[in-house]
PDB file of all heavy atoms in Angstrom:
ATOM      1  N   VAL A  52     -55.862   4.206  28.302  1.00 97.00           N
ATOM      2  CA  VAL A  52     -55.533   2.904  28.887  1.00 97.00           C
ATOM      3  C   VAL A  52     -55.799   1.850  27.815  1.00 97.00           C
ATOM      4  O   VAL A  52     -56.935   1.424  27.602  1.00 97.00           O
ATOM      5  CB  VAL A  52     -56.362   2.629  30.158  1.00 97.00           C
ATOM      6  CG1 VAL A  52     -55.911   1.311  30.800  1.00 97.00           C
ATOM      7  CG2 VAL A  52     -56.223   3.774  31.145  1.00 97.00           C
ATOM      8  N   LEU A  53     -54.752   1.441  27.131  1.00 98.00           N
ATOM      9  CA  LEU A  53     -54.896   0.537  25.989  1.00 98.00           C
ATOM     10  C   LEU A  53     -55.493  -0.811  26.384  1.00 98.00           C
ATOM     11  O   LEU A  53     -56.286  -1.397  25.636  1.00 98.00           O
ATOM     12  CB  LEU A  53     -53.546   0.314  25.315  1.00 98.00           C
ATOM     13  CG  LEU A  53     -52.893   1.532  24.657  1.00 98.00           C
ATOM     14  CD1 LEU A  53     -51.515   1.151  24.116  1.00 98.00           C
ATOM     15  CD2 LEU A  53     -53.759   2.068  23.527  1.00 98.00           C
ATOM     16  N   THR A  54     -55.105  -1.313  27.548  1.00 97.00           N
ATOM     17  CA  THR A  54     -55.566  -2.638  27.950  1.00 97.00           C
ATOM     18  C   THR A  54     -57.049  -2.673  28.300  1.00 97.00           C
ATOM     19  O   THR A  54     -57.622  -3.754  28.424  1.00 97.00           O
ATOM     20  CB  THR A  54     -54.734  -3.140  29.143  1.00 97.00           C
ATOM     21  OG1 THR A  54     -54.550  -2.069  30.083  1.00 97.00           O
ATOM     22  CG2 THR A  54     -53.374  -3.655  28.678  1.00 97.00           C
ATOM     23  N   ASN A  55     -57.685  -1.526  28.433  1.00 96.00           N
ATOM     24  CA  ASN A  55     -59.140  -1.531  28.587  1.00 96.00           C
ATOM     25  C   ASN A  55     -59.812  -1.983  27.297  1.00 96.00           C
ATOM     26  O   ASN A  55     -60.933  -2.502  27.322  1.00 96.00           O
ATOM     27  CB  ASN A  55     -59.644  -0.142  28.974  1.00 96.00           C
ATOM     28  CG  ASN A  55     -59.385   0.190  30.432  1.00 96.00           C
ATOM     29  OD1 ASN A  55     -58.983  -0.669  31.209  1.00 96.00           O
ATOM     30  ND2 ASN A  55     -59.611   1.439  30.804  1.00 96.00           N
ATOM     31  N   ALA A  56     -59.136  -1.780  26.176  1.00 97.00           N
ATOM     32  CA  ALA A  56     -59.653  -2.263  24.894  1.00 97.00           C
ATOM     33  C   ALA A  56     -59.047  -3.601  24.524  1.00 97.00           C
ATOM     34  O   ALA A  56     -59.744  -4.504  24.053  1.00 97.00           O
ATOM     35  CB  ALA A  56     -59.367  -1.243  23.781  1.00 97.00           C
ATOM     36  N   VAL A  57     -57.725  -3.736  24.725  1.00 98.00           N
ATOM     37  CA  VAL A  57     -57.014  -4.938  24.283  1.00 98.00           C
ATOM     38  C   VAL A  57     -56.173  -5.469  25.442  1.00 98.00           C
ATOM     39  O   VAL A  57     -54.997  -5.118  25.588  1.00 98.00           O
ATOM     40  CB  VAL A  57     -56.097  -4.628  23.070  1.00 98.00           C
ATOM     41  CG1 VAL A  57     -55.746  -5.913  22.330  1.00 98.00           C
ATOM     42  CG2 VAL A  57     -56.722  -3.629  22.130  1.00 98.00           C
ATOM     43  N   PRO A  58     -56.727  -6.337  26.267  1.00 97.00           N
ATOM     44  CA  PRO A  58     -55.965  -6.858  27.408  1.00 97.00           C
ATOM     45  C   PRO A  58     -54.678  -7.572  27.000  1.00 97.00           C
ATOM     46  O   PRO A  58     -53.709  -7.598  27.769  1.00 97.00           O
ATOM     47  CB  PRO A  58     -56.957  -7.833  28.071  1.00 97.00           C
ATOM     48  CG  PRO A  58     -58.311  -7.329  27.667  1.00 97.00           C
ATOM     49  CD  PRO A  58     -58.137  -6.788  26.274  1.00 97.00           C
ATOM     50  N   SER A  59     -54.639  -8.103  25.785  1.00 98.00           N
ATOM     51  CA  SER A  59     -53.451  -8.837  25.330  1.00 98.00           C
ATOM     52  C   SER A  59     -52.246  -7.931  25.117  1.00 98.00           C
ATOM     53  O   SER A  59     -51.122  -8.423  24.967  1.00 98.00           O
ATOM     54  CB  SER A  59     -53.757  -9.585  24.025  1.00 98.00           C
ATOM     55  OG  SER A  59     -54.199  -8.694  23.016  1.00 98.00           O
ATOM     56  N   TYR A  60     -52.446  -6.609  25.104  1.00 98.00           N
ATOM     57  CA  TYR A  60     -51.308  -5.694  24.963  1.00 98.00           C
ATOM     58  C   TYR A  60     -50.380  -5.761  26.184  1.00 98.00           C
ATOM     59  O   TYR A  60     -49.189  -5.453  26.065  1.00 98.00           O
ATOM     60  CB  TYR A  60     -51.796  -4.256  24.757  1.00 98.00           C
ATOM     61  CG  TYR A  60     -51.783  -3.800  23.319  1.00 98.00           C
ATOM     62  CD1 TYR A  60     -52.374  -4.572  22.317  1.00 98.00           C
ATOM     63  CD2 TYR A  60     -51.188  -2.608  22.940  1.00 98.00           C
ATOM     64  CE1 TYR A  60     -52.364  -4.159  20.992  1.00 98.00           C
ATOM     65  CE2 TYR A  60     -51.171  -2.186  21.624  1.00 98.00           C
ATOM     66  CZ  TYR A  60     -51.761  -2.959  20.654  1.00 98.00           C
ATOM     67  OH  TYR A  60     -51.735  -2.547  19.336  1.00 98.00           O
ATOM     68  N   ALA A  61     -50.911  -6.127  27.352  1.00 98.00           N
ATOM     69  CA  ALA A  61     -50.091  -6.266  28.570  1.00 98.00           C
ATOM     70  C   ALA A  61     -50.868  -7.149  29.540  1.00 98.00           C
ATOM     71  O   ALA A  61     -51.515  -6.648  30.464  1.00 98.00           O
ATOM     72  CB  ALA A  61     -49.773  -4.914  29.197  1.00 98.00           C
ATOM     73  N   PRO A  62     -50.821  -8.462  29.334  1.00 97.00           N
ATOM     74  CA  PRO A  62     -51.623  -9.379  30.150  1.00 97.00           C
ATOM     75  C   PRO A  62     -51.363  -9.206  31.651  1.00 97.00           C
ATOM     76  O   PRO A  62     -50.215  -9.145  32.100  1.00 97.00           O
ATOM     77  CB  PRO A  62     -51.163 -10.761  29.669  1.00 97.00           C
ATOM     78  CG  PRO A  62     -50.674 -10.534  28.267  1.00 97.00           C
ATOM     79  CD  PRO A  62     -50.051  -9.166  28.303  1.00 97.00           C
ATOM     80  N   GLY A  63     -52.443  -9.073  32.409  1.00 96.00           N
ATOM     81  CA  GLY A  63     -52.343  -8.963  33.857  1.00 96.00           C
ATOM     82  C   GLY A  63     -51.943  -7.597  34.372  1.00 96.00           C
ATOM     83  O   GLY A  63     -51.737  -7.418  35.577  1.00 96.00           O
ATOM     84  N   MET A  64     -51.829  -6.602  33.481  1.00 97.00           N
ATOM     85  CA  MET A  64     -51.438  -5.245  33.870  1.00 97.00           C
ATOM     86  C   MET A  64     -52.324  -4.243  33.138  1.00 97.00           C
ATOM     87  O   MET A  64     -53.130  -4.602  32.287  1.00 97.00           O
ATOM     88  CB  MET A  64     -49.971  -4.986  33.510  1.00 97.00           C
ATOM     89  CG  MET A  64     -48.962  -5.883  34.221  1.00 97.00           C
ATOM     90  SD  MET A  64     -48.805  -5.522  35.984  1.00 97.00           S
ATOM     91  CE  MET A  64     -47.884  -3.976  35.929  1.00 97.00           C
ATOM     92  N   GLN A  65     -52.164  -2.977  33.507  1.00 97.00           N
ATOM     93  CA  GLN A  65     -52.786  -1.893  32.766  1.00 97.00           C
ATOM     94  C   GLN A  65     -51.688  -1.136  32.019  1.00 97.00           C
ATOM     95  O   GLN A  65     -50.695  -0.713  32.625  1.00 97.00           O
ATOM     96  CB  GLN A  65     -53.552  -0.954  33.697  1.00 97.00           C
ATOM     97  CG  GLN A  65     -54.834  -1.585  34.244  1.00 97.00           C
ATOM     98  CD  GLN A  65     -55.639  -0.626  35.108  1.00 97.00           C
ATOM     99  OE1 GLN A  65     -55.167  -0.190  36.148  1.00 97.00           O
ATOM    100  NE2 GLN A  65     -56.846  -0.302  34.681  1.00 97.00           N
ATOM    101  N   LEU A  66     -51.850  -0.988  30.707  1.00 98.00           N
ATOM    102  CA  LEU A  66     -50.865  -0.312  29.865  1.00 98.00           C
ATOM    103  C   LEU A  66     -51.451   1.009  29.395  1.00 98.00           C
ATOM    104  O   LEU A  66     -52.520   1.038  28.776  1.00 98.00           O
ATOM    105  CB  LEU A  66     -50.499  -1.180  28.660  1.00 98.00           C
ATOM    106  CG  LEU A  66     -49.478  -0.584  27.677  1.00 98.00           C
ATOM    107  CD1 LEU A  66     -48.121  -0.420  28.350  1.00 98.00           C
ATOM    108  CD2 LEU A  66     -49.363  -1.462  26.431  1.00 98.00           C
ATOM    109  N   ILE A  67     -50.741   2.082  29.696  1.00 98.00           N
ATOM    110  CA  ILE A  67     -51.214   3.424  29.351  1.00 98.00           C
ATOM    111  C   ILE A  67     -50.313   4.008  28.266  1.00 98.00           C
ATOM    112  O   ILE A  67     -49.083   4.033  28.409  1.00 98.00           O
ATOM    113  CB  ILE A  67     -51.199   4.358  30.583  1.00 98.00           C
ATOM    114  CG1 ILE A  67     -52.048   3.764  31.712  1.00 98.00           C
ATOM    115  CG2 ILE A  67     -51.714   5.746  30.211  1.00 98.00           C
ATOM    116  CD1 ILE A  67     -51.248   2.992  32.746  1.00 98.00           C
ATOM    117  N   SER A  68     -50.926   4.460  27.190  1.00 98.00           N
ATOM    118  CA  SER A  68     -50.209   5.136  26.105  1.00 98.00           C
ATOM    119  C   SER A  68     -50.466   6.633  26.221  1.00 98.00           C
ATOM    120  O   SER A  68     -51.617   7.068  26.343  1.00 98.00           O
ATOM    121  CB  SER A  68     -50.702   4.626  24.744  1.00 98.00           C
ATOM    122  OG  SER A  68     -50.245   5.456  23.693  1.00 98.00           O
ATOM    123  N   THR A  69     -49.397   7.423  26.179  1.00 98.00           N
ATOM    124  CA  THR A  69     -49.497   8.876  26.299  1.00 98.00           C
ATOM    125  C   THR A  69     -48.700   9.522  25.185  1.00 98.00           C
ATOM    126  O   THR A  69     -47.549   9.152  24.951  1.00 98.00           O
ATOM    127  CB  THR A  69     -48.950   9.349  27.659  1.00 98.00           C
ATOM    128  OG1 THR A  69     -49.684   8.705  28.711  1.00 98.00           O
ATOM    129  CG2 THR A  69     -49.052  10.857  27.794  1.00 98.00           C
ATOM    130  N   SER A  70     -49.292  10.489  24.489  1.00 98.00           N
ATOM    131  CA  SER A  70     -48.620  11.113  23.351  1.00 98.00           C
ATOM    132  C   SER A  70     -48.595  12.626  23.478  1.00 98.00           C
ATOM    133  O   SER A  70     -49.510  13.238  24.037  1.00 98.00           O
ATOM    134  CB  SER A  70     -49.310  10.725  22.038  1.00 98.00           C
ATOM    135  OG  SER A  70     -49.185   9.339  21.791  1.00 98.00           O
ATOM    136  N   ALA A  71     -47.526  13.221  22.946  1.00 97.00           N
ATOM    137  CA  ALA A  71     -47.366  14.671  22.895  1.00 97.00           C
ATOM    138  C   ALA A  71     -46.810  15.054  21.543  1.00 97.00           C
ATOM    139  O   ALA A  71     -45.916  14.376  21.005  1.00 97.00           O
ATOM    140  CB  ALA A  71     -46.425  15.151  24.001  1.00 97.00           C
ATOM    141  N   ILE A  72     -47.345  16.115  20.972  1.00 97.00           N
ATOM    142  CA  ILE A  72     -46.858  16.602  19.682  1.00 97.00           C
ATOM    143  C   ILE A  72     -45.412  17.066  19.828  1.00 97.00           C
ATOM    144  O   ILE A  72     -45.049  17.726  20.804  1.00 97.00           O
ATOM    145  CB  ILE A  72     -47.753  17.739  19.170  1.00 97.00           C
ATOM    146  CG1 ILE A  72     -49.160  17.215  18.869  1.00 97.00           C
ATOM    147  CG2 ILE A  72     -47.158  18.399  17.930  1.00 97.00           C
ATOM    148  CD1 ILE A  72     -50.174  18.295  18.588  1.00 97.00           C
ATOM    149  N   GLY A  73     -44.583  16.714  18.854  1.00 97.00           N
ATOM    150  CA  GLY A  73     -43.179  17.085  18.885  1.00 97.00           C
ATOM    151  C   GLY A  73     -42.310  15.970  19.428  1.00 97.00           C
ATOM    152  O   GLY A  73     -42.802  14.903  19.817  1.00 97.00           O
ATOM    153  N   VAL A  74     -41.014  16.204  19.443  1.00 97.00           N
ATOM    154  CA  VAL A  74     -40.054  15.229  19.935  1.00 97.00           C
ATOM    155  C   VAL A  74     -39.618  15.630  21.339  1.00 97.00           C
ATOM    156  O   VAL A  74     -39.149  16.747  21.561  1.00 97.00           O
ATOM    157  CB  VAL A  74     -38.832  15.146  18.991  1.00 97.00           C
ATOM    158  CG1 VAL A  74     -37.765  14.237  19.577  1.00 97.00           C
ATOM    159  CG2 VAL A  74     -39.263  14.651  17.620  1.00 97.00           C
ATOM    160  N   HIS A  75     -39.792  14.698  22.285  1.00 97.00           N
ATOM    161  CA  HIS A  75     -39.503  14.986  23.699  1.00 97.00           C
ATOM    162  C   HIS A  75     -38.619  13.890  24.284  1.00 97.00           C
ATOM    163  O   HIS A  75     -38.622  12.753  23.823  1.00 97.00           O
ATOM    164  CB  HIS A  75     -40.803  15.078  24.507  1.00 97.00           C
ATOM    165  CG  HIS A  75     -41.755  16.121  24.012  1.00 97.00           C
ATOM    166  ND1 HIS A  75     -41.674  17.444  24.394  1.00 97.00           N
ATOM    167  CD2 HIS A  75     -42.799  16.030  23.148  1.00 97.00           C
ATOM    168  CE1 HIS A  75     -42.651  18.134  23.795  1.00 97.00           C
ATOM    169  NE2 HIS A  75     -43.341  17.295  23.034  1.00 97.00           N
ATOM    170  N   GLU A  76     -37.924  14.228  25.358  1.00 97.00           N
ATOM    171  CA  GLU A  76     -37.011  13.281  25.990  1.00 97.00           C
ATOM    172  C   GLU A  76     -37.767  12.225  26.777  1.00 97.00           C
ATOM    173  O   GLU A  76     -38.923  12.421  27.195  1.00 97.00           O
ATOM    174  CB  GLU A  76     -36.047  14.028  26.912  1.00 97.00           C
ATOM    175  CG  GLU A  76     -36.741  14.745  28.052  1.00 97.00           C
ATOM    176  CD  GLU A  76     -35.791  15.600  28.878  1.00 97.00           C
ATOM    177  OE1 GLU A  76     -34.740  15.985  28.343  1.00 97.00           O
ATOM    178  OE2 GLU A  76     -36.117  15.881  30.048  1.00 97.00           O
ATOM    179  N   ARG A  77     -37.101  11.109  26.996  1.00 97.00           N
ATOM    180  CA  ARG A  77     -37.709   9.991  27.717  1.00 97.00           C
ATOM    181  C   ARG A  77     -38.124  10.376  29.132  1.00 97.00           C
ATOM    182  O   ARG A  77     -39.209  10.010  29.596  1.00 97.00           O
ATOM    183  CB  ARG A  77     -36.718   8.823  27.768  1.00 97.00           C
ATOM    184  CG  ARG A  77     -37.230   7.598  28.524  1.00 97.00           C
ATOM    185  CD  ARG A  77     -36.183   6.501  28.609  1.00 97.00           C
ATOM    186  NE  ARG A  77     -36.665   5.335  29.333  1.00 97.00           N
ATOM    187  CZ  ARG A  77     -37.299   4.301  28.792  1.00 97.00           C
ATOM    188  NH1 ARG A  77     -37.506   4.289  27.485  1.00 97.00           N
ATOM    189  NH2 ARG A  77     -37.710   3.287  29.526  1.00 97.00           N
ATOM    190  N   GLY A  78     -37.269  11.137  29.812  1.00 94.00           N
ATOM    191  CA  GLY A  78     -37.499  11.415  31.213  1.00 94.00           C
ATOM    192  C   GLY A  78     -38.355  12.629  31.502  1.00 94.00           C
ATOM    193  O   GLY A  78     -38.364  13.121  32.643  1.00 94.00           O
ATOM    194  N   LEU A  79     -39.072  13.133  30.520  1.00 94.00           N
ATOM    195  CA  LEU A  79     -39.926  14.296  30.751  1.00 94.00           C
ATOM    196  C   LEU A  79     -40.938  13.994  31.859  1.00 94.00           C
ATOM    197  O   LEU A  79     -41.555  12.931  31.890  1.00 94.00           O
ATOM    198  CB  LEU A  79     -40.666  14.638  29.452  1.00 94.00           C
ATOM    199  CG  LEU A  79     -41.445  15.952  29.424  1.00 94.00           C
ATOM    200  CD1 LEU A  79     -40.500  17.141  29.522  1.00 94.00           C
ATOM    201  CD2 LEU A  79     -42.261  16.048  28.128  1.00 94.00           C
ATOM    202  N   ASP A  80     -41.113  14.933  32.780  1.00 94.00           N
ATOM    203  CA  ASP A  80     -42.007  14.725  33.921  1.00 94.00           C
ATOM    204  C   ASP A  80     -43.460  14.841  33.463  1.00 94.00           C
ATOM    205  O   ASP A  80     -43.953  15.923  33.144  1.00 94.00           O
ATOM    206  CB  ASP A  80     -41.709  15.757  35.011  1.00 94.00           C
ATOM    207  CG  ASP A  80     -42.514  15.505  36.280  1.00 94.00           C
ATOM    208  OD1 ASP A  80     -43.253  14.495  36.330  1.00 94.00           O
ATOM    209  OD2 ASP A  80     -42.417  16.319  37.215  1.00 94.00           O
ATOM    210  N   LEU A  81     -44.145  13.707  33.466  1.00 96.00           N
ATOM    211  CA  LEU A  81     -45.542  13.658  33.029  1.00 96.00           C
ATOM    212  C   LEU A  81     -46.499  13.346  34.178  1.00 96.00           C
ATOM    213  O   LEU A  81     -47.717  13.301  33.970  1.00 96.00           O
ATOM    214  CB  LEU A  81     -45.716  12.580  31.941  1.00 96.00           C
ATOM    215  CG  LEU A  81     -44.827  12.682  30.704  1.00 96.00           C
ATOM    216  CD1 LEU A  81     -45.042  11.459  29.820  1.00 96.00           C
ATOM    217  CD2 LEU A  81     -45.142  13.956  29.930  1.00 96.00           C
ATOM    218  N   VAL A  82     -45.963  13.132  35.359  1.00 95.00           N
ATOM    219  CA  VAL A  82     -46.778  12.633  36.469  1.00 95.00           C
ATOM    220  C   VAL A  82     -47.963  13.545  36.761  1.00 95.00           C
ATOM    221  O   VAL A  82     -49.108  13.083  36.920  1.00 95.00           O
ATOM    222  CB  VAL A  82     -45.923  12.441  37.738  1.00 95.00           C
ATOM    223  CG1 VAL A  82     -46.819  12.115  38.936  1.00 95.00           C
ATOM    224  CG2 VAL A  82     -44.911  11.330  37.523  1.00 95.00           C
ATOM    225  N   GLY A  83     -47.711  14.852  36.857  1.00 94.00           N
ATOM    226  CA  GLY A  83     -48.793  15.779  37.184  1.00 94.00           C
ATOM    227  C   GLY A  83     -49.913  15.738  36.158  1.00 94.00           C
ATOM    228  O   GLY A  83     -51.098  15.653  36.513  1.00 94.00           O
ATOM    229  N   GLN A  84     -49.537  15.809  34.891  1.00 94.00           N
ATOM    230  CA  GLN A  84     -50.561  15.800  33.851  1.00 94.00           C
ATOM    231  C   GLN A  84     -51.319  14.481  33.801  1.00 94.00           C
ATOM    232  O   GLN A  84     -52.549  14.456  33.671  1.00 94.00           O
ATOM    233  CB  GLN A  84     -49.930  16.075  32.485  1.00 94.00           C
ATOM    234  CG  GLN A  84     -49.798  17.559  32.177  1.00 94.00           C
ATOM    235  CD  GLN A  84     -49.686  17.794  30.686  1.00 94.00           C
ATOM    236  OE1 GLN A  84     -48.651  17.542  30.097  1.00 94.00           O
ATOM    237  NE2 GLN A  84     -50.760  18.272  30.087  1.00 94.00           N
ATOM    238  N   LEU A  85     -50.596  13.369  33.897  1.00 96.00           N
ATOM    239  CA  LEU A  85     -51.264  12.072  33.826  1.00 96.00           C
ATOM    240  C   LEU A  85     -52.163  11.849  35.036  1.00 96.00           C
ATOM    241  O   LEU A  85     -53.245  11.258  34.914  1.00 96.00           O
ATOM    242  CB  LEU A  85     -50.229  10.953  33.710  1.00 96.00           C
ATOM    243  CG  LEU A  85     -49.466  10.910  32.386  1.00 96.00           C
ATOM    244  CD1 LEU A  85     -48.458   9.769  32.379  1.00 96.00           C
ATOM    245  CD2 LEU A  85     -50.432  10.759  31.216  1.00 96.00           C
ATOM    246  N   SER A  86     -51.756  12.321  36.187  1.00 95.00           N
ATOM    247  CA  SER A  86     -52.602  12.199  37.380  1.00 95.00           C
ATOM    248  C   SER A  86     -53.900  12.973  37.196  1.00 95.00           C
ATOM    249  O   SER A  86     -54.993  12.506  37.567  1.00 95.00           O
ATOM    250  CB  SER A  86     -51.855  12.703  38.618  1.00 95.00           C
ATOM    251  OG  SER A  86     -50.704  11.924  38.878  1.00 95.00           O
ATOM    252  N   THR A  87     -53.790  14.177  36.618  1.00 93.00           N
ATOM    253  CA  THR A  87     -54.986  14.979  36.361  1.00 93.00           C
ATOM    254  C   THR A  87     -55.865  14.345  35.293  1.00 93.00           C
ATOM    255  O   THR A  87     -57.087  14.237  35.459  1.00 93.00           O
ATOM    256  CB  THR A  87     -54.579  16.398  35.908  1.00 93.00           C
ATOM    257  OG1 THR A  87     -53.876  17.041  36.968  1.00 93.00           O
ATOM    258  CG2 THR A  87     -55.803  17.219  35.538  1.00 93.00           C
ATOM    259  N   MET A  88     -55.250  13.909  34.220  1.00 94.00           N
ATOM    260  CA  MET A  88     -56.022  13.390  33.091  1.00 94.00           C
ATOM    261  C   MET A  88     -56.735  12.084  33.439  1.00 94.00           C
ATOM    262  O   MET A  88     -57.848  11.831  32.973  1.00 94.00           O
ATOM    263  CB  MET A  88     -55.122  13.207  31.878  1.00 94.00           C
ATOM    264  CG  MET A  88     -54.604  14.523  31.298  1.00 94.00           C
ATOM    265  SD  MET A  88     -53.467  14.319  29.910  1.00 94.00           S
ATOM    266  CE  MET A  88     -54.599  13.723  28.633  1.00 94.00           C
ATOM    267  N   HIS A  89     -56.106  11.250  34.270  1.00 94.00           N
ATOM    268  CA  HIS A  89     -56.702   9.951  34.612  1.00 94.00           C
ATOM    269  C   HIS A  89     -57.326   9.939  36.004  1.00 94.00           C
ATOM    270  O   HIS A  89     -57.808   8.886  36.448  1.00 94.00           O
ATOM    271  CB  HIS A  89     -55.655   8.848  34.482  1.00 94.00           C
ATOM    272  CG  HIS A  89     -55.250   8.569  33.067  1.00 94.00           C
ATOM    273  ND1 HIS A  89     -56.013   7.800  32.216  1.00 94.00           N
ATOM    274  CD2 HIS A  89     -54.172   8.995  32.352  1.00 94.00           C
ATOM    275  CE1 HIS A  89     -55.407   7.731  31.031  1.00 94.00           C
ATOM    276  NE2 HIS A  89     -54.302   8.452  31.078  1.00 94.00           N
ATOM    277  N   ASP A  90     -57.320  11.089  36.666  1.00 92.00           N
ATOM    278  CA  ASP A  90     -57.961  11.229  37.980  1.00 92.00           C
ATOM    279  C   ASP A  90     -57.448  10.180  38.960  1.00 92.00           C
ATOM    280  O   ASP A  90     -58.222   9.495  39.652  1.00 92.00           O
ATOM    281  CB  ASP A  90     -59.483  11.117  37.832  1.00 92.00           C
ATOM    282  CG  ASP A  90     -60.226  11.571  39.084  1.00 92.00           C
ATOM    283  OD1 ASP A  90     -59.650  12.378  39.856  1.00 92.00           O
ATOM    284  OD2 ASP A  90     -61.360  11.103  39.298  1.00 92.00           O
ATOM    285  N   THR A  91     -56.126  10.058  39.042  1.00 94.00           N
ATOM    286  CA  THR A  91     -55.502   9.100  39.948  1.00 94.00           C
ATOM    287  C   THR A  91     -54.062   9.545  40.186  1.00 94.00           C
ATOM    288  O   THR A  91     -53.583  10.492  39.564  1.00 94.00           O
ATOM    289  CB  THR A  91     -55.531   7.676  39.359  1.00 94.00           C
ATOM    290  OG1 THR A  91     -55.128   6.738  40.364  1.00 94.00           O
ATOM    291  CG2 THR A  91     -54.613   7.556  38.150  1.00 94.00           C
ATOM    292  N   ASP A  92     -53.364   8.859  41.072  1.00 95.00           N
ATOM    293  CA  ASP A  92     -51.950   9.152  41.319  1.00 95.00           C
ATOM    294  C   ASP A  92     -51.100   8.317  40.368  1.00 95.00           C
ATOM    295  O   ASP A  92     -51.063   7.089  40.462  1.00 95.00           O
ATOM    296  CB  ASP A  92     -51.609   8.821  42.769  1.00 95.00           C
ATOM    297  CG  ASP A  92     -50.158   9.124  43.115  1.00 95.00           C
ATOM    298  OD1 ASP A  92     -49.425   9.663  42.254  1.00 95.00           O
ATOM    299  OD2 ASP A  92     -49.749   8.799  44.248  1.00 95.00           O
ATOM    300  N   ALA A  93     -50.418   8.988  39.444  1.00 96.00           N
ATOM    301  CA  ALA A  93     -49.630   8.283  38.430  1.00 96.00           C
ATOM    302  C   ALA A  93     -48.157   8.166  38.820  1.00 96.00           C
ATOM    303  O   ALA A  93     -47.343   7.700  38.012  1.00 96.00           O
ATOM    304  CB  ALA A  93     -49.748   9.019  37.094  1.00 96.00           C
ATOM    305  N   SER A  94     -47.792   8.539  40.025  1.00 96.00           N
ATOM    306  CA  SER A  94     -46.374   8.605  40.404  1.00 96.00           C
ATOM    307  C   SER A  94     -45.704   7.241  40.446  1.00 96.00           C
ATOM    308  O   SER A  94     -44.476   7.147  40.305  1.00 96.00           O
ATOM    309  CB  SER A  94     -46.221   9.303  41.760  1.00 96.00           C
ATOM    310  OG  SER A  94     -46.914   8.587  42.774  1.00 96.00           O
ATOM    311  N   SER A  95     -46.475   6.171  40.642  1.00 96.00           N
ATOM    312  CA  SER A  95     -45.871   4.839  40.750  1.00 96.00           C
ATOM    313  C   SER A  95     -45.875   4.067  39.428  1.00 96.00           C
ATOM    314  O   SER A  95     -45.389   2.940  39.376  1.00 96.00           O
ATOM    315  CB  SER A  95     -46.611   4.010  41.812  1.00 96.00           C
ATOM    316  OG  SER A  95     -47.961   3.791  41.427  1.00 96.00           O
ATOM    317  N   TRP A  96     -46.397   4.669  38.376  1.00 97.00           N
ATOM    318  CA  TRP A  96     -46.436   3.965  37.097  1.00 97.00           C
ATOM    319  C   TRP A  96     -45.017   3.731  36.587  1.00 97.00           C
ATOM    320  O   TRP A  96     -44.129   4.590  36.720  1.00 97.00           O
ATOM    321  CB  TRP A  96     -47.211   4.763  36.053  1.00 97.00           C
ATOM    322  CG  TRP A  96     -48.666   4.944  36.372  1.00 97.00           C
ATOM    323  CD1 TRP A  96     -49.334   4.484  37.466  1.00 97.00           C
ATOM    324  CD2 TRP A  96     -49.612   5.662  35.596  1.00 97.00           C
ATOM    325  NE1 TRP A  96     -50.654   4.865  37.413  1.00 97.00           N
ATOM    326  CE2 TRP A  96     -50.854   5.591  36.272  1.00 97.00           C
ATOM    327  CE3 TRP A  96     -49.546   6.368  34.395  1.00 97.00           C
ATOM    328  CZ2 TRP A  96     -52.005   6.188  35.777  1.00 97.00           C
ATOM    329  CZ3 TRP A  96     -50.689   6.959  33.900  1.00 97.00           C
ATOM    330  CH2 TRP A  96     -51.915   6.870  34.583  1.00 97.00           C
TER     331      TRP A  96
END
């Protein structure tokens, strides 16, 4: 969660940066992994 360190990266919001090794498509389904990794429901991000 980048904005936990730098709120100016997305004022008034929480901005999450997620990376994966290799080249992947924009629409890759990450919801399950992000929900597990951040211990929350990421489906509405």
Side-chain angles (χ1 to χ4, degrees):
V52 184
L53 295 176
T54 43
N55 284 351
V57 199
S59 57
Y60 260 51
M64 298 290 286
Q65 288 183 297
L66 179 65
I67 303 97
S68 167
T69 302
S70 295
I72 295 170
V74 174
H75 302 275
E76 62 186 23
R77 179 183 180 89
L79 189 66
D80 186 3
L81 304 174
V82 172
Q84 274 202 285
L85 291 180
S86 297
T87 297
M88 293 177 70
H89 290 280
D90 193 24
T91 190
D92 181 4
S94 61
S95 64
W96 295 0

